[in-house]
Amino acid sequence: MAPDFELDPQTVLRAYASGIFPMADDRDAPGIYWVEPKLRGVLPLDGFHASRSLRKLIASDRYRVTADAAFEDIIELCAQSASDRPETWINGTIERAFLRLHEMGFAHSIEIWDGARLAGGLYGLALGQAFFGESMVSRAPSASKVALAWLVARLKVGGFRLLDCQFQTDHLATMGAVEIPRKAYSALLSDALGMDSAGTGLASAAFDALDRRGVLAAGAAPAPADTVSGPVSGKDIVQLLGHTS
């Protein structure tokens, strides 16, 4: 059997910066194809919808939440078939490319733990001030919703401007995701990756800024690298999500 096609991480980065991303026909597909949807799902960071029950769950710290603590496990969990998702578009080619991108500091994950069990989470790619959500998974009630809420809070603190969901789904729509045409998406992407008013490149957002904060405040700027902080709680996340409802 011929080996799977290998995807160069730099090719992946250039593709995302151009508004396209890779998918595979199924888990065992030997290759990939490139996708540029006519309609793109995005989640405005100030438009995240957290229901009262979700806020209560987050504030209770029912689940333990980590970031980049088990990236390989999350991408493997996302690639598994389940009763609600019998097919997967994450094949070995994509998985290996994102493992390398994680090692390079571009790909990140949010993990949701139920005791010692990995109960859900998500992963994606950070580039400039854009975050491209790749896949999310839930193996416990509302685990993926909790992961998305923590991601939104993390992106707000880190100075991100765009959360790309790729495709709109009913699940994402309940949390504030909207669908926009390709031209509008291209403008948002260009803004998140482009130049500032002085004509210089925009500074990259900081995915780890939340880990360096103490007391959180909605809309606060990213924390300086030398900030010393304590652990972030679910109540901090609810506070950071602020007026979203």
Side-chain angles (χ1 to χ4, degrees):
M1 180 180 296
D4 287 352
F5 172 72
E6 291 301 323
L7 190 56
D8 176 45
Q10 294 298 332
T11 298
V12 178
L13 294 176
R14 288 193 297 270
Y16 277 85
S18 300
I20 62 178
F21 54 89
M23 296 185 72
D25 286 325
D26 55 58
R27 177 63 172 162
D28 297 322
I32 59 97
Y33 57 92
W34 297 101
V35 181
E36 185 181 16
K38 291 183 179 179
L39 294 174
R40 196 78 166 228
V42 299
L43 203 166
L45 295 179
D46 288 331
F48 178 72
H49 177 89
S51 66
R52 181 172 297 181
S53 60
L54 179 58
R55 286 171 175 268
K56 184 176 180 180
L57 176 61
I58 295 169
S60 73
D61 288 320
R62 165 68 179 81
Y63 297 125
R64 182 170 61 91
V65 184
T66 57
D68 288 339
F71 183 89
E72 185 171 358
D73 294 329
I74 280 292
I75 194 170
E76 182 179 346
L77 193 63
C78 286
Q80 293 176 4
S81 61
S83 58
D84 61 339
R85 188 175 57 179
E87 299 293 336
T88 177
W89 54 267
I90 305 170
N91 68 350
T93 298
I94 292 172
E95 186 173 357
R96 289 191 297 275
F98 269 84
L99 288 174
R100 292 176 64 189
L101 286 163
H102 175 63
E103 293 173 354
M104 295 165 64
F106 290 102
H108 301 283
S109 60
I110 301 288
E111 302 92 17
I112 306 298
W113 303 89
D114 187 4
R117 180 175 72 99
L118 184 60
L122 57 81
Y123 79 95
L125 181 75
L127 188 62
Q129 296 178 356
F131 189 88
F132 307 87
E134 284 294 300
S135 185
M136 55 198 302
V137 62
S138 190
R139 294 292 185 266
S142 298
S144 62
K145 292 183 179 181
V146 173
L148 186 58
W150 275 75
L151 174 67
V152 169
R154 180 172 288 273
L155 299 184
K156 290 179 71 173
V157 171
F160 286 83
R161 304 168 72 175
L162 172 64
L163 173 51
D164 175 8
C165 302
Q166 298 183 344
F167 296 108
Q168 174 72 299
T169 66
D170 292 341
H171 179 67
L172 289 171
T174 63
M175 293 179 284
V178 297
E179 202 169 45
I180 61 175
R182 182 184 294 164
K183 185 176 181 179
Y185 171 77
S186 295
L188 290 177
L189 179 62
S190 178
D191 187 51
L193 301 179
M195 299 293 180
D196 60 20
S197 59
T200 58
L202 290 171
S204 294
F207 187 80
D208 66 344
L210 183 64
D211 305 317
R212 298 186 261 107
R213 294 191 65 84
V215 178
L216 301 179
D226 59 353
T227 297
V228 177
S229 66
V232 178
S233 71
K235 290 182 179 179
D236 291 327
I237 297 303
V238 171
Q239 177 187 348
L240 181 60
L241 292 175
H243 65 275
T244 57
S245 60

